Amino acid sequence: MSSTPSTCPFDSVLVANRGEIARRVFRTLRRLGIRSVAVFTDADADAPHPREADHAVRVPSYLDVDAVVAAAVSSGADAVHPGYGFLSENAGFARACAAAGVVFVGPGVEALEVMGDKIRAKQHVAAHDVPTVPGFSATGLSDPQIAAEADRVGYPLLVKPSAGGGGKGMTVATGPDDLADALATARRVAAAAFGDDTLLLERLLQRPRHIEVQVLADAHGTTLSLGERECTLQRRHQKVIEEAPSPVVDAAVRAALGEAAVAAARSVGYLGAGTVEFLVAGDRLDEPFFIEMNTRLQVEHPVTELVTGIDLVEQQLRVAAGFALELDEIRLDGHAIEARVYAETPSRGYLPATGTVTYWHPGDARVDSAVETGSVVSALYDPMIAKVIAHGPDRETALARLDAALAGTVVLGVDTNLSDLRALLADPAVRAGHLDTGLLDRRRTPEAPQPPTDALAAVAARVVAVADAGTSGDGSVWDRVGPWRAGGASVSRTVSLEDDGGRVHAVAPAQVDAIVTGGPVEYWVHADGGAHRLRVVSRRAAAERRRAGAGRAPGTVDPDLVAPLPGTVVAVHAAEGDAVEAGARLVTIEAMKMEHTVTSPHAGTVRLRTSPGAQVARDAVVATVTPRAPEPVEGATREPARTPSAMRATSVAEAPPEAEDARIAEDTHADVASSSPESEDPAGIPASAPTPSPEENHS
């Protein structure tokens, strides 16, 4: 990446962030010979970023302004780089840095205050002839007044927090009947995520594209556009795939977008790197509407770096130190595409996932990651754990290289969207560049992927090896068995393995090219470009499941409703003993600043199993809805109701004891030693994996 004159802007810089962005900033600091300082919380004491810095300071929270500024002063840092999120767009933090004599690597207070408030930003840029989407601020308005304004502007409307970004709290009101719920949800999320429940309502453009422009500005009168990024592929307002340049923007539209972005930046005396975001209707690319300006580095900044050859972090540091931008003519070279790797479970509606990364290996591309082998992914922070970015001379090549890099990226121990990203890149609409912001939300929730033969054979080989080695079962699974590559002579014994889709496979061990972690009951495997979790099914468990399946009436739904993800119960919408209809909201759970609502799958009577403020684990039972008995039909003979067995769910306070783990392991190993294709036929065993409750995600 090109570098500008060698004068070092600072001696020491504190990075007020965590994860992949902290590690990415450290790379530039090392290249420039600048001492790096990290901050970390107790939850991140063992995370990669504090170890990679030259010095690290513990803070109680990444949002604690006083603690972060004190860390900068005590560590001797000349400047603070805020990354993105947390305090990056906090004017109070910028003021506190200045008061302490520490340079804030970002724009001035005016830009932070104006552009940090979506309502004010929209009004401000409109006064500078930058076109904006029709809408209004809900500040000071009662709900009836908001409803009247909504009728005037017209539906559908996007309801979003004024004080924050990242899609958090955004809800859609398709008509007057949806408005009250949309307002309540957006306010609750905004207050929790940003400490401010002020709302902005805007006309929702039909099938728009989300295109943003990277700008750079110095204190010497130069403001530059570095071209656009296509960020249209989003799920629930969270970006998934970004690319530069946009596949549909020509030179004339690029020039118009750049002029509008530069005008918006200059209107607030902007300094440093920033991004001006636009919505454009798919059939009117020449009419961009300003939606917001992000006064910081963007998550997707690597695609701009790869097509321009400019290190944006270096330019941020230089501008903050008072240097002038001394860049050659901005030229776009080829095409770059970024895929965000999230810790989430696509087959459960893309709900966030947690766990320990038992094996990590990046693919053959630029990979900015927050994790390594042994990292813990918790519900405390954003679920993005890595970004994979590929570059090529054209879009087709970049797509192919990104797919290959995703296939070679190995994450075991935690659910991710890696396989789903590859399926998305293969989508004909994506390959053709026919995009709109609703494309991903219209796609069907994928089923848990079918493990390939190699994955099954590799795990079977590992199960047999563990059984033959006589693993005692003492300690945790991950302490007992580390990463292992399948190999050695194949054996004839079969092993029954259940995948995340509830399918059971009887397989023989074989020597294959795969990476396996886990044991003795649950294993993770990467083979043929994808990762899979597999559980060993003993003969005893198989028999119990056959019996349970035989007693289940066709079409019955389990009355126990479970948490679709680990998190905090923020609302309970029903009372004990209430009679509810199918689809009634029962419990709302928050995790990673996102909300998910558990609804009743059938009419019945509610028994609550949790309360507001409770911490729940994934699959913990949060409510039971006893089905309402059907009305008797005259003359019909009524059969006794058959209640399905309760789904096994574990709450945070009810983790299974190690003794149970050891018992299951013992049973499993005994089965492996004696099983054969003739002795156990798992075909036809019904799936035991729970179907996630319907959820409502507004982030």
Side-chain angles (χ1 to χ4, degrees):
M1 220 168 266
S2 66
S3 178
T4 44
S6 59
T7 305
C8 192
F10 298 106
D11 293 324
S12 180
V13 173
L14 180 143
V15 180
N17 219 293
R18 66 179 299 277
E20 61 88 15
I21 185 57
R23 301 176 81 188
R24 184 264 169 274
V25 176
F26 292 160
R27 289 203 302 271
T28 291
L29 295 178
R30 282 195 296 271
R31 181 173 63 79
L32 297 177
I34 299 173
R35 174 176 173 264
S36 60
V37 180
V39 289
F40 66 95
T41 62
D42 287 343
D44 274 343
D46 296 322
H49 79 271
R51 294 198 305 272
E52 292 185 358
D54 296 315
H55 182 69
V57 181
R58 178 194 169 278
V59 293
S61 166
Y62 296 109
L63 292 170
D64 190 324
V65 171
D66 293 339
V68 173
V69 172
V73 173
S74 66
S75 65
D78 307 310
V80 171
H81 192 298
Y84 49 73
F86 294 128
L87 298 172
S88 62
E89 297 176 279
N90 188 307
F93 180 54
R95 287 195 188 92
C97 288
V102 177
V103 175
F104 176 76
V105 181
V109 169
E110 179 192 5
L112 290 169
E113 289 182 333
V114 173
M115 295 302 184
D117 181 330
K118 289 184 176 66
I119 296 169
R120 186 177 174 187
K122 185 176 175 182
Q123 295 169 341
H124 179 87
V125 301
H128 289 78
D129 299 324
V130 178
T132 60
V133 180
F136 64 95
S137 165
T139 303
L141 300 182
S142 66
D143 282 8
Q145 290 172 321
I146 293 174
E149 279 294 292
D151 288 338
R152 182 185 62 81
V153 172
Y155 291 92
L157 284 171
L158 183 64
V159 182
K160 59 184 180 178
S162 174
K168 292 182 176 65
M170 287 188 182
T171 61
V172 175
T174 58
D177 293 342
D178 299 336
L179 187 58
D181 279 348
L183 293 173
T185 300
R187 284 175 179 141
R188 185 167 58 242
V189 175
F194 312 115
D196 183 347
D197 65 358
T198 306
L199 300 180
L200 172 67
L201 286 78
E202 292 179 342
R203 174 84 61 77
L204 183 64
L205 301 181
Q206 299 296 323
R207 300 206 169 187
R209 300 182 82 108
H210 184 139
I211 298 177
E212 62 188 30
V213 177
Q214 178 71 58
V215 295
L216 273 178
D218 63 22
H220 303 273
T222 300
T223 304
L224 301 172
S225 165
L226 273 60
E228 82 285 350
R229 295 187 286 257
E230 177 84 58
C231 302
T232 296
L233 289 175
Q234 306 174 11
R235 180 174 293 106
R236 304 174 191 133
H237 309 295
Q238 291 280 356
K239 298 169 186 173
V240 178
I241 301 282
E242 301 104 338
E243 55 186 305
S246 166
V248 296
V249 169
D250 59 21
V253 173
R254 181 170 298 120
L257 287 166
E259 288 173 8
V262 167
R266 283 179 173 161
S267 74
V268 289
Y270 199 81
L271 294 176
T275 298
V276 183
E277 303 198 353
F278 299 92
L279 283 181
V280 295
D283 58 347
R284 293 304 305 268
L285 296 176
D286 58 338
E287 290 185 351
F289 292 110
F290 170 94
I291 51 174
E292 65 180 325
M293 182 175 188
N294 289 312
T295 53
R296 54 170 168 78
L297 200 65
Q298 290 280 88
V299 174
E300 57 271 23
H301 75 276
V303 294
T304 296
E305 292 186 325
L306 290 179
V307 296
T308 63
I310 296 170
D311 184 329
L312 293 176
V313 173
E314 178 182 357
Q315 297 307 317
Q316 286 184 295
L317 296 168
R318 290 183 55 78
V319 168
F323 298 161
L325 290 170
E326 298 180 12
L327 299 171
D328 297 331
E329 179 185 358
I330 307 300
R331 301 180 63 181
L332 305 183
D333 176 23
H335 204 95
I337 308 179
E338 171 181 294
R340 299 190 187 192
V341 180
Y342 289 109
E344 64 184 11
T345 311
S347 61
R348 287 187 168 218
Y350 299 91
L351 294 179
T354 59
T356 298
V357 178
T358 56
Y359 191 82
W360 159 256
H361 179 76
D364 186 15
R366 172 173 170 174
V367 179
D368 292 3
S369 72
V371 299
E372 58 188 18
T373 300
S375 292
V376 175
V377 179
S378 75
L380 294 175
Y381 303 113
D382 189 271
M384 189 182 76
I385 60 172
K387 302 179 307 196
V388 181
I389 314 102
H391 179 260
D394 51 54
R395 188 171 186 265
E396 184 177 0
T397 304
L399 282 167
R401 289 177 178 173
L402 179 57
D403 179 68
L406 291 171
T409 300
V410 184
V411 184
L412 301 181
V414 180
D415 289 345
T416 73
N417 64 331
L418 278 165
S419 293
D420 192 65
L421 287 170
R422 296 190 64 199
L424 178 58
L425 293 179
D427 187 295
V430 174
R431 299 196 68 83
H434 298 156
L435 315 176
D436 67 80
T437 56
L439 190 151
L440 299 194
D441 290 329
R442 293 194 301 272
R443 295 176 80 219
R444 295 181 60 183
T445 298
E447 295 182 357
Q450 176 95 351
T453 301
D454 282 356
L456 295 166
V459 171
R462 186 54 174 156
V463 171
V464 170
V466 170
D468 287 347
T471 303
S472 67
D474 297 329
S476 75
V477 168
W478 311 124
D479 288 340
R480 293 195 293 273
V481 183
W484 178 81
R485 186 173 288 277
S490 62
V491 293
S492 60
R493 291 176 288 180
T494 61
V495 178
S496 293
L497 300 171
E498 179 187 38
D499 63 35
D500 274 350
R503 299 167 292 247
V504 178
H505 313 264
V507 292
Q511 180 178 357
V512 295
D513 184 17
I515 299 171
V516 182
T517 66
V521 178
E522 181 176 280
Y523 292 82
W524 287 81
V525 57
H526 185 274
D528 296 346
H532 306 271
R533 172 172 43 201
L534 296 165
R535 288 184 61 87
V536 180
V537 179
S538 69
R539 284 177 295 172
R540 180 187 304 174
E544 290 174 353
R545 289 170 57 191
R546 288 192 186 98
R547 287 194 294 270
R552 184 183 294 269
T556 54
V557 179
D558 201 311
D560 284 339
L561 307 182
V562 301
L565 77 173
T568 303
V569 175
V570 294
V572 174
H573 306 285
E576 186 75 14
D578 276 0
V580 297
E581 299 300 323
R585 297 195 302 166
L586 300 178
V587 175
T588 296
I589 299 166
E590 184 208 67
M592 302 178 183
K593 301 302 181 185
M594 296 185 286
E595 288 192 350
H596 311 269
T597 298
V598 177
T599 61
S600 178
H602 50 243
T605 303
V606 175
R607 178 190 171 196
L608 294 174
R609 309 288 288 275
T610 190
S611 58
Q615 298 290 320
V616 293
R618 171 169 156 170
D619 290 339
V621 178
V622 295
T624 299
V625 180
T626 303
R628 186 179 302 160
E631 294 296 328
V633 179
E634 187 175 350
T637 302
R638 188 172 181 179
E639 293 185 1
R642 291 181 291 183
T643 303
S645 59
M647 180 188 307
R648 182 178 185 274
T650 305
S651 72
V652 172
E654 298 170 344
E658 288 297 330
E660 174 68 4
D661 188 22
R663 186 197 66 72
I664 296 171
E666 246 177 58
D667 188 27
T668 300
H669 293 158
D671 287 341
V672 169
S674 60
S675 64
S676 68
E678 292 76 23
S679 64
E680 181 176 6
D681 178 15
I685 296 176
S688 66
T691 300
S693 304
E695 48 85 23
E696 178 178 291
N697 190 323
H698 299 304
S699 9

